[in-house]
Amino acid sequence: MSESPVKKAVERCRGLGLRRTRALEELLATLIEAKRPMTLSELASSARLADQCDKATVYRLLQRLTGHGVLRRLGLHERAAYFTLLQPGKHSDYLICTGCGKIESITAPCPVHDLEEEIRETTGYKGLYHELEFFGTCPKCA
Amino acid sequence: MSESPVKKAVERCRGLGLRRTRALEELLATLIEAKRPMTLSELASSARLADQCDKATVYRLLQRLTGHGVLRRLGLHERAAYFTLLQPGKHSDYLICTGCGKIESITAPCPVHDLEEEIRETTGYKGLYHELEFFGTCPKCA
DNA sequence: GTAATTGCAAATACTTTGCCACGTA
DNA sequence: TACGTGGCAAAGTATTTGCAATTAC
């Protein structure tokens, strides 16, 4: 172990011109400790941040860090929920443009089947399925 | 081609005890024609549904159909946006319980690399990355 | 006829912004 | 000191629900 991941992340932010604030350090530490994606609400009410700062501050930090590429916002383009029809025997993965939000189905055979089988066997999860999305900037938006 | 996919989907709903309403047919047709996931707003304002029924109707149809397994709602458990830290050289896929919403990182090597490369070459998308999530019911919730 | 479905309008939930005070560099 | 950040409160956007009227079966 060279350096703590938290320090490393803070330094990275410093290098991007961000100021070293209490909220920044606590937010990065929280995300790193959690080892999983978190929502604004979860972060704002987490032990390290709850009494530390306002929800709006966490919100703006998330925006800022996402804009600088330190964080990534998961999920499809819009803020709204997406629904898709389940057709027996059919499965689709998607390619989404992060610029214009265009979504297209991918026809290529899905390469995840074996891993899904492995997860089914090792974790005991029932009714397993997956979602796979590719994101990038489409030629038009580039 | 045996039967139109729309008719097939409507019949499937009938078999589940749902009534054959105009809104149901138009919603299924819209989703099938679009060949991609759609949001409540998109659906409610789509050509086939806009003058046909209220947004609340579309909303409740989506709930009902999702409950019966005819549709699937994409994305993570909560309605809120999820953020994750990007650590250079690290990539994570996730396993999510659809019951309790628990999210865990998957350590297994990601099997999507080759397909991502292929997409990069064939589509001309820039800055390509992907998200892969497995969903199921965890042992505790089962 | 009866229960599922719908429309309208009101209530929530979560996100986003304005404005001024504050703290880091 | 100067400008990025933060707090508080209000506004915005999407979702969700109550209830009476309607419609499929």
Short mmCIF file of all heavy atoms in Angstrom, two decimals, chain C:
data_model
loop_
_atom_site.label_atom_id
_atom_site.label_comp_id
_atom_site.label_asym_id
_atom_site.label_seq_id
_atom_site.Cartn_x
_atom_site.Cartn_y
_atom_site.Cartn_z
P DG C 1 -77.69 -3.78 -13.42
OP1 DG C 1 -78.84 -3.72 -12.54
OP2 DG C 1 -77.00 -2.59 -13.89
"O5'" DG C 1 -76.65 -4.82 -12.82
"C5'" DG C 1 -77.14 -6.00 -12.17
"C4'" DG C 1 -75.93 -6.75 -11.68
"O4'" DG C 1 -74.96 -6.87 -12.77
"C3'" DG C 1 -75.17 -6.08 -10.55
"O3'" DG C 1 -74.52 -7.12 -9.80
"C2'" DG C 1 -74.15 -5.21 -11.28
"C1'" DG C 1 -73.80 -6.07 -12.48
N9 DG C 1 -73.51 -5.35 -13.70
C8 DG C 1 -74.15 -4.28 -14.24
N7 DG C 1 -73.68 -3.90 -15.39
C5 DG C 1 -72.62 -4.77 -15.62
C6 DG C 1 -71.70 -4.87 -16.71
O6 DG C 1 -71.67 -4.19 -17.74
N1 DG C 1 -70.79 -5.90 -16.53
C2 DG C 1 -70.76 -6.73 -15.46
N2 DG C 1 -69.82 -7.67 -15.45
N3 DG C 1 -71.61 -6.66 -14.44
C4 DG C 1 -72.50 -5.66 -14.58
P DT C 2 -73.80 -6.72 -8.44
OP1 DT C 2 -73.99 -7.85 -7.51
OP2 DT C 2 -74.16 -5.35 -8.04
"O5'" DT C 2 -72.29 -6.73 -8.93
"C5'" DT C 2 -71.76 -7.91 -9.51
"C4'" DT C 2 -70.26 -7.75 -9.69
"O4'" DT C 2 -69.99 -7.07 -10.95
"C3'" DT C 2 -69.56 -6.92 -8.60
"O3'" DT C 2 -68.30 -7.51 -8.37
"C2'" DT C 2 -69.41 -5.55 -9.24
"C1'" DT C 2 -69.17 -5.93 -10.70
N1 DT C 2 -69.55 -4.93 -11.73
C2 DT C 2 -68.87 -4.94 -12.92
O2 DT C 2 -67.97 -5.71 -13.17
N3 DT C 2 -69.29 -3.99 -13.82
C4 DT C 2 -70.29 -3.06 -13.65
O4 DT C 2 -70.58 -2.27 -14.55
C5 DT C 2 -70.96 -3.10 -12.38
C7 DT C 2 -72.06 -2.14 -12.08
C6 DT C 2 -70.55 -4.02 -11.48
P DA C 3 -67.47 -7.06 -7.06
OP1 DA C 3 -67.54 -8.14 -6.07
OP2 DA C 3 -67.85 -5.68 -6.69
"O5'" DA C 3 -66.00 -7.03 -7.66
"C5'" DA C 3 -65.63 -8.01 -8.62
"C4'" DA C 3 -64.64 -7.40 -9.58
"O4'" DA C 3 -65.30 -6.42 -10.42
"C3'" DA C 3 -63.50 -6.65 -8.89
"O3'" DA C 3 -62.31 -6.91 -9.61
"C2'" DA C 3 -63.91 -5.20 -8.98
"C1'" DA C 3 -64.60 -5.19 -10.35
N9 DA C 3 -65.56 -4.10 -10.51
C8 DA C 3 -66.38 -3.56 -9.57
N7 DA C 3 -67.13 -2.59 -10.02
C5 DA C 3 -66.79 -2.51 -11.36
C6 DA C 3 -67.24 -1.67 -12.41
N6 DA C 3 -68.17 -0.74 -12.25
N1 DA C 3 -66.69 -1.86 -13.63
C2 DA C 3 -65.75 -2.80 -13.77
N3 DA C 3 -65.26 -3.65 -12.88
C4 DA C 3 -65.83 -3.44 -11.68
P DA C 4 -60.92 -6.40 -9.16
OP1 DA C 4 -60.13 -7.58 -8.77
OP2 DA C 4 -61.13 -5.30 -8.19
"O5'" DA C 4 -60.29 -5.79 -10.48
"C5'" DA C 4 -60.35 -6.54 -11.68
"C4'" DA C 4 -60.25 -5.61 -12.86
"O4'" DA C 4 -61.34 -4.68 -12.85
"C3'" DA C 4 -58.97 -4.77 -12.88
"O3'" DA C 4 -58.51 -4.73 -14.22
"C2'" DA C 4 -59.43 -3.41 -12.37
"C1'" DA C 4 -60.85 -3.35 -12.92
N9 DA C 4 -61.77 -2.51 -12.15
C8 DA C 4 -62.02 -2.56 -10.81
N7 DA C 4 -62.92 -1.69 -10.40
C5 DA C 4 -63.28 -1.02 -11.57
C6 DA C 4 -64.20 0.03 -11.81
N6 DA C 4 -64.95 0.60 -10.87
N1 DA C 4 -64.32 0.46 -13.09
C2 DA C 4 -63.57 -0.12 -14.03
N3 DA C 4 -62.68 -1.11 -13.93
C4 DA C 4 -62.59 -1.51 -12.65
P DT C 5 -57.14 -4.04 -14.60
OP1 DT C 5 -56.64 -4.72 -15.82
OP2 DT C 5 -56.32 -3.93 -13.40
"O5'" DT C 5 -57.62 -2.57 -15.04
"C5'" DT C 5 -58.56 -2.45 -16.09
"C4'" DT C 5 -58.88 -1.00 -16.33
"O4'" DT C 5 -59.76 -0.51 -15.30
"C3'" DT C 5 -57.68 -0.05 -16.36
"O3'" DT C 5 -57.70 0.64 -17.60
"C2'" DT C 5 -57.92 0.88 -15.17
"C1'" DT C 5 -59.44 0.83 -15.05
N1 DT C 5 -60.00 1.15 -13.72
C2 DT C 5 -60.97 2.14 -13.64
O2 DT C 5 -61.36 2.77 -14.59
N3 DT C 5 -61.45 2.36 -12.38
C4 DT C 5 -61.10 1.70 -11.21
O4 DT C 5 -61.62 2.00 -10.13
C5 DT C 5 -60.07 0.68 -11.36
C7 DT C 5 -59.59 -0.07 -10.16
C6 DT C 5 -59.59 0.46 -12.60
P DT C 6 -56.58 1.71 -17.95
OP1 DT C 6 -56.33 1.60 -19.40
OP2 DT C 6 -55.48 1.57 -16.98
"O5'" DT C 6 -57.33 3.08 -17.68
"C5'" DT C 6 -58.52 3.37 -18.39
"C4'" DT C 6 -59.08 4.70 -17.95
"O4'" DT C 6 -59.56 4.59 -16.60
"C3'" DT C 6 -58.08 5.85 -17.97
"O3'" DT C 6 -58.57 6.87 -18.84
"C2'" DT C 6 -57.99 6.31 -16.52
"C1'" DT C 6 -59.29 5.79 -15.92
N1 DT C 6 -59.24 5.44 -14.48
C2 DT C 6 -60.12 6.05 -13.62
O2 DT C 6 -60.93 6.88 -13.97
N3 DT C 6 -60.01 5.63 -12.31
C4 DT C 6 -59.14 4.70 -11.79
O4 DT C 6 -59.14 4.42 -10.60
C5 DT C 6 -58.23 4.11 -12.75
C7 DT C 6 -57.24 3.09 -12.31
C6 DT C 6 -58.33 4.51 -14.04
P DG C 7 -57.62 8.07 -19.31
OP1 DG C 7 -57.82 8.24 -20.76
OP2 DG C 7 -56.26 7.83 -18.78
"O5'" DG C 7 -58.24 9.31 -18.55
"C5'" DG C 7 -59.65 9.44 -18.47
"C4'" DG C 7 -60.02 10.64 -17.61
"O4'" DG C 7 -60.09 10.23 -16.21
"C3'" DG C 7 -59.05 11.82 -17.68
"O3'" DG C 7 -59.82 13.01 -17.70
"C2'" DG C 7 -58.23 11.69 -16.39
"C1'" DG C 7 -59.22 11.03 -15.42
N9 DG C 7 -58.61 10.12 -14.47
C8 DG C 7 -57.60 9.23 -14.72
N7 DG C 7 -57.27 8.50 -13.67
C5 DG C 7 -58.14 8.94 -12.67
C6 DG C 7 -58.26 8.51 -11.31
O6 DG C 7 -57.62 7.64 -10.71
N1 DG C 7 -59.26 9.21 -10.65
C2 DG C 7 -60.04 10.19 -11.20
N2 DG C 7 -60.93 10.75 -10.40
N3 DG C 7 -59.94 10.60 -12.47
C4 DG C 7 -58.96 9.92 -13.14
P DC C 8 -59.20 14.41 -18.11
OP1 DC C 8 -60.20 15.11 -18.95
OP2 DC C 8 -57.82 14.21 -18.60
"O5'" DC C 8 -59.14 15.16 -16.71
"C5'" DC C 8 -60.31 15.17 -15.89
"C4'" DC C 8 -59.96 15.56 -14.47
"O4'" DC C 8 -59.45 14.42 -13.76
"C3'" DC C 8 -58.89 16.66 -14.36
"O3'" DC C 8 -59.42 17.73 -13.60
"C2'" DC C 8 -57.73 15.98 -13.66
"C1'" DC C 8 -58.43 14.87 -12.88
N1 DC C 8 -57.57 13.72 -12.55
C2 DC C 8 -57.78 13.05 -11.34
O2 DC C 8 -58.67 13.43 -10.58
N3 DC C 8 -56.99 11.99 -11.04
C4 DC C 8 -56.03 11.60 -11.89
N4 DC C 8 -55.29 10.55 -11.55
C5 DC C 8 -55.81 12.28 -13.13
C6 DC C 8 -56.60 13.32 -13.42
P DA C 9 -58.53 19.08 -13.41
OP1 DA C 9 -59.42 20.22 -13.68
OP2 DA C 9 -57.25 18.95 -14.12
"O5'" DA C 9 -58.25 19.02 -11.85
"C5'" DA C 9 -59.15 18.32 -10.99
"C4'" DA C 9 -58.46 18.11 -9.66
"O4'" DA C 9 -57.69 16.87 -9.71
"C3'" DA C 9 -57.45 19.21 -9.32
"O3'" DA C 9 -57.46 19.45 -7.93
"C2'" DA C 9 -56.13 18.62 -9.77
"C1'" DA C 9 -56.34 17.16 -9.38
N9 DA C 9 -55.47 16.21 -10.07
C8 DA C 9 -54.97 16.30 -11.35
N7 DA C 9 -54.19 15.30 -11.69
C5 DA C 9 -54.19 14.49 -10.56
C6 DA C 9 -53.56 13.27 -10.27
N6 DA C 9 -52.78 12.63 -11.14
N1 DA C 9 -53.76 12.74 -9.05
C2 DA C 9 -54.54 13.39 -8.18
N3 DA C 9 -55.19 14.54 -8.34
C4 DA C 9 -54.97 15.04 -9.56
P DA C 10 -56.58 20.64 -7.31
OP1 DA C 10 -57.54 21.73 -7.06
OP2 DA C 10 -55.38 20.88 -8.13
"O5'" DA C 10 -56.11 20.03 -5.92
"C5'" DA C 10 -56.82 18.92 -5.35
"C4'" DA C 10 -55.82 18.02 -4.63
"O4'" DA C 10 -55.14 17.17 -5.58
"C3'" DA C 10 -54.73 18.79 -3.88
"O3'" DA C 10 -54.53 18.19 -2.61
"C2'" DA C 10 -53.50 18.62 -4.77
"C1'" DA C 10 -53.75 17.23 -5.34
N9 DA C 10 -53.05 16.95 -6.60
C8 DA C 10 -52.95 17.74 -7.71
N7 DA C 10 -52.25 17.21 -8.69
C5 DA C 10 -51.86 15.98 -8.19
C6 DA C 10 -51.09 14.94 -8.73
N6 DA C 10 -50.56 14.97 -9.96
N1 DA C 10 -50.90 13.84 -7.98
C2 DA C 10 -51.44 13.81 -6.74
N3 DA C 10 -52.17 14.73 -6.11
C4 DA C 10 -52.35 15.80 -6.90
P DA C 11 -53.51 18.80 -1.55
OP1 DA C 11 -54.21 18.87 -0.26
OP2 DA C 11 -52.87 19.99 -2.12
"O5'" DA C 11 -52.43 17.65 -1.43
"C5'" DA C 11 -52.88 16.32 -1.22
"C4'" DA C 11 -51.71 15.36 -1.31
"O4'" DA C 11 -51.24 15.27 -2.67
"C3'" DA C 11 -50.49 15.79 -0.48
"O3'" DA C 11 -49.97 14.62 0.13
"C2'" DA C 11 -49.54 16.36 -1.53
"C1'" DA C 11 -49.84 15.45 -2.71
N9 DA C 11 -49.50 15.97 -4.03
C8 DA C 11 -49.80 17.19 -4.55
N7 DA C 11 -49.38 17.37 -5.78
C5 DA C 11 -48.75 16.17 -6.09
C6 DA C 11 -48.09 15.71 -7.25
N6 DA C 11 -47.95 16.44 -8.35
N1 DA C 11 -47.58 14.46 -7.21
C2 DA C 11 -47.72 13.73 -6.09
N3 DA C 11 -48.32 14.05 -4.95
C4 DA C 11 -48.82 15.30 -5.02
P DT C 12 -49.03 14.82 1.43
OP1 DT C 12 -49.55 13.93 2.47
OP2 DT C 12 -48.80 16.26 1.68
"O5'" DT C 12 -47.66 14.19 0.94
"C5'" DT C 12 -47.32 14.31 -0.42
"C4'" DT C 12 -46.47 13.13 -0.83
"O4'" DT C 12 -46.31 13.21 -2.25
"C3'" DT C 12 -45.07 13.19 -0.24
"O3'" DT C 12 -44.56 11.87 -0.11
"C2'" DT C 12 -44.32 14.02 -1.26
"C1'" DT C 12 -44.99 13.63 -2.57
N1 DT C 12 -45.12 14.75 -3.55
C2 DT C 12 -44.64 14.56 -4.81
O2 DT C 12 -44.12 13.51 -5.17
N3 DT C 12 -44.79 15.62 -5.66
C4 DT C 12 -45.36 16.84 -5.36
O4 DT C 12 -45.42 17.71 -6.23
C5 DT C 12 -45.85 16.98 -4.01
C7 DT C 12 -46.47 18.27 -3.59
C6 DT C 12 -45.70 15.94 -3.17
P DA C 13 -43.14 11.66 0.61
OP1 DA C 13 -43.15 10.28 1.14
OP2 DA C 13 -42.84 12.81 1.49
"O5'" DA C 13 -42.12 11.71 -0.61
"C5'" DA C 13 -42.28 10.79 -1.67
"C4'" DA C 13 -41.13 10.98 -2.64
"O4'" DA C 13 -41.42 12.11 -3.48
"C3'" DA C 13 -39.81 11.27 -1.95
"O3'" DA C 13 -38.82 10.47 -2.58
"C2'" DA C 13 -39.59 12.75 -2.17
"C1'" DA C 13 -40.31 12.98 -3.50
N9 DA C 13 -40.86 14.32 -3.70
C8 DA C 13 -41.56 15.08 -2.81
N7 DA C 13 -41.97 16.23 -3.30
C5 DA C 13 -41.50 16.21 -4.60
C6 DA C 13 -41.61 17.15 -5.65
N6 DA C 13 -42.23 18.31 -5.57
N1 DA C 13 -41.02 16.82 -6.83
C2 DA C 13 -40.40 15.64 -6.93
N3 DA C 13 -40.24 14.69 -6.03
C4 DA C 13 -40.83 15.04 -4.88
P DC C 14 -37.39 10.29 -1.89
OP1 DC C 14 -37.03 8.86 -1.97
OP2 DC C 14 -37.37 11.01 -0.60
"O5'" DC C 14 -36.46 11.06 -2.92
"C5'" DC C 14 -36.56 10.74 -4.31
"C4'" DC C 14 -36.01 11.89 -5.12
"O4'" DC C 14 -36.90 13.01 -5.01
"C3'" DC C 14 -34.64 12.38 -4.65
"O3'" DC C 14 -33.72 12.15 -5.71
"C2'" DC C 14 -34.86 13.86 -4.35
"C1'" DC C 14 -36.12 14.19 -5.13
N1 DC C 14 -36.95 15.31 -4.63
C2 DC C 14 -37.36 16.29 -5.53
O2 DC C 14 -37.01 16.20 -6.72
N3 DC C 14 -38.10 17.33 -5.08
C4 DC C 14 -38.44 17.40 -3.79
N4 DC C 14 -39.17 18.44 -3.41
C5 DC C 14 -38.04 16.40 -2.86
C6 DC C 14 -37.30 15.38 -3.31
P DT C 15 -32.24 12.77 -5.71
OP1 DT C 15 -31.42 11.86 -6.52
OP2 DT C 15 -31.87 13.10 -4.34
"O5'" DT C 15 -32.45 14.10 -6.54
"C5'" DT C 15 -33.24 14.02 -7.71
"C4'" DT C 15 -33.33 15.36 -8.40
"O4'" DT C 15 -34.14 16.28 -7.64
"C3'" DT C 15 -32.00 16.07 -8.65
"O3'" DT C 15 -32.08 16.56 -9.98
"C2'" DT C 15 -31.99 17.18 -7.62
"C1'" DT C 15 -33.47 17.51 -7.49
N1 DT C 15 -33.95 18.06 -6.21
C2 DT C 15 -34.59 19.28 -6.24
O2 DT C 15 -34.75 19.94 -7.24
N3 DT C 15 -35.04 19.71 -5.01
C4 DT C 15 -34.93 19.06 -3.79
O4 DT C 15 -35.39 19.54 -2.77
C5 DT C 15 -34.24 17.78 -3.85
C7 DT C 15 -34.06 17.00 -2.60
C6 DT C 15 -33.79 17.36 -5.04
P DT C 16 -30.78 17.12 -10.73
OP1 DT C 16 -30.96 16.88 -12.18
OP2 DT C 16 -29.59 16.63 -10.03
"O5'" DT C 16 -30.93 18.68 -10.50
"C5'" DT C 16 -32.06 19.33 -11.06
"C4'" DT C 16 -32.09 20.76 -10.60
"O4'" DT C 16 -32.49 20.85 -9.22
"C3'" DT C 16 -30.76 21.53 -10.70
"O3'" DT C 16 -30.95 22.53 -11.67
"C2'" DT C 16 -30.53 22.08 -9.29
"C1'" DT C 16 -31.92 22.04 -8.69
N1 DT C 16 -32.02 21.91 -7.23
C2 DT C 16 -32.77 22.85 -6.55
O2 DT C 16 -33.32 23.78 -7.10
N3 DT C 16 -32.84 22.64 -5.20
C4 DT C 16 -32.25 21.62 -4.47
O4 DT C 16 -32.39 21.55 -3.25
C5 DT C 16 -31.48 20.68 -5.24
C7 DT C 16 -30.79 19.55 -4.56
C6 DT C 16 -31.40 20.87 -6.57
P DT C 17 -29.86 23.65 -11.97
OP1 DT C 17 -30.04 24.07 -13.37
OP2 DT C 17 -28.56 23.16 -11.47
"O5'" DT C 17 -30.34 24.86 -11.03
"C5'" DT C 17 -31.59 25.45 -11.27
"C4'" DT C 17 -31.78 26.64 -10.34
"O4'" DT C 17 -31.89 26.18 -8.98
"C3'" DT C 17 -30.63 27.66 -10.35
"O3'" DT C 17 -31.20 28.96 -10.48
"C2'" DT C 17 -29.96 27.48 -8.99
"C1'" DT C 17 -31.12 27.00 -8.14
N1 DT C 17 -30.75 26.18 -6.97
C2 DT C 17 -31.39 26.43 -5.78
O2 DT C 17 -32.23 27.30 -5.65
N3 DT C 17 -30.99 25.61 -4.75
C4 DT C 17 -30.06 24.60 -4.79
O4 DT C 17 -29.80 23.95 -3.79
C5 DT C 17 -29.44 24.40 -6.08
C7 DT C 17 -28.41 23.34 -6.23
C6 DT C 17 -29.81 25.19 -7.08
P DG C 18 -30.31 30.23 -10.80
OP1 DG C 18 -30.79 30.80 -12.07
OP2 DG C 18 -28.88 29.85 -10.64
"O5'" DG C 18 -30.70 31.21 -9.60
"C5'" DG C 18 -31.99 31.10 -8.99
"C4'" DG C 18 -32.13 32.18 -7.92
"O4'" DG C 18 -31.93 31.59 -6.62
"C3'" DG C 18 -31.10 33.32 -8.00
"O3'" DG C 18 -31.69 34.49 -7.44
"C2'" DG C 18 -29.95 32.80 -7.15
"C1'" DG C 18 -30.70 32.02 -6.05
N9 DG C 18 -30.00 30.82 -5.60
C8 DG C 18 -29.26 29.95 -6.35
N7 DG C 18 -28.78 28.95 -5.66
C5 DG C 18 -29.24 29.16 -4.37
C6 DG C 18 -29.05 28.40 -3.20
O6 DG C 18 -28.43 27.36 -3.04
N1 DG C 18 -29.69 28.98 -2.11
C2 DG C 18 -30.43 30.14 -2.14
N2 DG C 18 -30.96 30.55 -1.00
N3 DG C 18 -30.61 30.86 -3.24
C4 DG C 18 -29.99 30.31 -4.31
P DC C 19 -30.93 35.88 -7.56
OP1 DC C 19 -32.00 36.90 -7.76
OP2 DC C 19 -29.78 35.81 -8.48
"O5'" DC C 19 -30.38 36.04 -6.07
"C5'" DC C 19 -31.21 35.70 -4.96
"C4'" DC C 19 -30.41 35.83 -3.67
"O4'" DC C 19 -29.83 34.53 -3.34
"C3'" DC C 19 -29.23 36.80 -3.75
"O3'" DC C 19 -29.14 37.51 -2.53
"C2'" DC C 19 -28.03 35.89 -3.94
"C1'" DC C 19 -28.45 34.71 -3.09
N1 DC C 19 -27.77 33.43 -3.38
C2 DC C 19 -27.64 32.49 -2.35
O2 DC C 19 -28.13 32.73 -1.25
N3 DC C 19 -27.00 31.33 -2.61
C4 DC C 19 -26.49 31.10 -3.83
N4 DC C 19 -25.87 29.94 -4.03
C5 DC C 19 -26.60 32.06 -4.89
C6 DC C 19 -27.24 33.20 -4.62
P DC C 20 -28.34 38.92 -2.53
OP1 DC C 20 -29.36 39.99 -2.45
OP2 DC C 20 -27.31 38.94 -3.58
"O5'" DC C 20 -27.62 38.83 -1.12
"C5'" DC C 20 -28.30 38.24 -0.01
"C4'" DC C 20 -27.32 37.40 0.79
"O4'" DC C 20 -26.90 36.24 0.04
"C3'" DC C 20 -26.03 38.12 1.20
"O3'" DC C 20 -25.81 37.85 2.57
"C2'" DC C 20 -24.97 37.46 0.32
"C1'" DC C 20 -25.52 36.04 0.26
N1 DC C 20 -24.99 35.16 -0.81
C2 DC C 20 -24.69 33.83 -0.50
O2 DC C 20 -24.89 33.43 0.66
N3 DC C 20 -24.21 33.02 -1.47
C4 DC C 20 -24.01 33.50 -2.70
N4 DC C 20 -23.54 32.66 -3.61
C5 DC C 20 -24.30 34.85 -3.05
C6 DC C 20 -24.78 35.65 -2.08
P DA C 21 -24.64 38.66 3.37
OP1 DA C 21 -25.34 39.53 4.36
OP2 DA C 21 -23.68 39.24 2.42
"O5'" DA C 21 -23.92 37.50 4.18
"C5'" DA C 21 -24.72 36.53 4.85
"C4'" DA C 21 -23.87 35.32 5.18
"O4'" DA C 21 -23.55 34.61 3.96
"C3'" DA C 21 -22.53 35.66 5.83
"O3'" DA C 21 -22.27 34.67 6.82
"C2'" DA C 21 -21.54 35.60 4.69
"C1'" DA C 21 -22.13 34.50 3.83
N9 DA C 21 -21.83 34.57 2.40
C8 DA C 21 -22.02 35.64 1.57
N7 DA C 21 -21.66 35.42 0.32
C5 DA C 21 -21.22 34.10 0.33
C6 DA C 21 -20.71 33.28 -0.67
N6 DA C 21 -20.56 33.65 -1.94
N1 DA C 21 -20.36 32.01 -0.33
C2 DA C 21 -20.51 31.63 0.95
N3 DA C 21 -20.98 32.33 1.99
C4 DA C 21 -21.32 33.57 1.61
P DC C 22 -21.02 34.76 7.74
OP1 DC C 22 -21.40 34.23 9.05
OP2 DC C 22 -20.44 36.12 7.60
"O5'" DC C 22 -20.01 33.72 7.07
"C5'" DC C 22 -20.46 32.40 6.83
"C4'" DC C 22 -19.36 31.61 6.18
"O4'" DC C 22 -19.22 31.98 4.80
"C3'" DC C 22 -17.98 31.82 6.82
"O3'" DC C 22 -17.47 30.54 7.13
"C2'" DC C 22 -17.18 32.54 5.74
"C1'" DC C 22 -17.85 32.06 4.47
N1 DC C 22 -17.77 32.94 3.27
C2 DC C 22 -17.35 32.38 2.06
O2 DC C 22 -17.02 31.19 2.02
N3 DC C 22 -17.31 33.16 0.94
C4 DC C 22 -17.67 34.45 1.02
N4 DC C 22 -17.62 35.16 -0.10
C5 DC C 22 -18.10 35.03 2.25
C6 DC C 22 -18.14 34.25 3.34
P DG C 23 -16.15 30.37 7.99
OP1 DG C 23 -16.39 29.33 9.00
OP2 DG C 23 -15.61 31.71 8.37
"O5'" DG C 23 -15.18 29.75 6.89
"C5'" DG C 23 -15.63 28.62 6.15
"C4'" DG C 23 -14.57 28.29 5.14
"O4'" DG C 23 -14.55 29.30 4.09
"C3'" DG C 23 -13.16 28.25 5.70
"O3'" DG C 23 -12.51 27.23 4.99
"C2'" DG C 23 -12.60 29.62 5.36
"C1'" DG C 23 -13.27 29.91 4.03
N9 DG C 23 -13.55 31.30 3.67
C8 DG C 23 -13.98 32.31 4.49
N7 DG C 23 -14.22 33.42 3.85
C5 DG C 23 -13.93 33.11 2.51
C6 DG C 23 -14.02 33.90 1.34
O6 DG C 23 -14.38 35.08 1.23
N1 DG C 23 -13.63 33.19 0.20
C2 DG C 23 -13.22 31.88 0.20
N2 DG C 23 -12.89 31.36 -0.97
N3 DG C 23 -13.15 31.12 1.28
C4 DG C 23 -13.52 31.80 2.40
P DT C 24 -11.09 26.71 5.48
OP1 DT C 24 -11.26 25.34 5.99
OP2 DT C 24 -10.44 27.75 6.30
"O5'" DT C 24 -10.35 26.61 4.08
"C5'" DT C 24 -10.99 25.94 3.00
"C4'" DT C 24 -10.29 26.30 1.71
"O4'" DT C 24 -10.53 27.69 1.39
"C3'" DT C 24 -8.77 26.13 1.76
"O3'" DT C 24 -8.37 25.57 0.53
"C2'" DT C 24 -8.25 27.54 1.96
"C1'" DT C 24 -9.30 28.38 1.23
N1 DT C 24 -9.53 29.75 1.73
C2 DT C 24 -9.77 30.74 0.80
O2 DT C 24 -9.76 30.54 -0.41
N3 DT C 24 -10.01 31.98 1.34
C4 DT C 24 -10.04 32.33 2.67
O4 DT C 24 -10.28 33.48 3.01
C5 DT C 24 -9.77 31.24 3.60
C7 DT C 24 -9.76 31.51 5.07
C6 DT C 24 -9.54 30.02 3.08
P DA C 25 -6.88 25.03 0.34
OP1 DA C 25 -6.95 23.82 -0.51
OP2 DA C 25 -6.23 24.98 1.66
"O5'" DA C 25 -6.21 26.18 -0.53
"C5'" DA C 25 -6.77 26.47 -1.80
"C4'" DA C 25 -6.08 27.70 -2.37
"O4'" DA C 25 -6.52 28.87 -1.63
"C3'" DA C 25 -4.56 27.67 -2.26
"O3'" DA C 25 -4.00 28.18 -3.45
"C2'" DA C 25 -4.26 28.61 -1.11
"C1'" DA C 25 -5.38 29.62 -1.27
N9 DA C 25 -5.73 30.35 -0.05
C8 DA C 25 -5.68 29.91 1.24
N7 DA C 25 -6.07 30.80 2.13
C5 DA C 25 -6.40 31.90 1.36
C6 DA C 25 -6.88 33.18 1.70
N6 DA C 25 -7.11 33.56 2.96
N1 DA C 25 -7.10 34.04 0.68
C2 DA C 25 -6.87 33.65 -0.58
N3 DA C 25 -6.41 32.46 -1.01
C4 DA C 25 -6.20 31.64 0.02
#
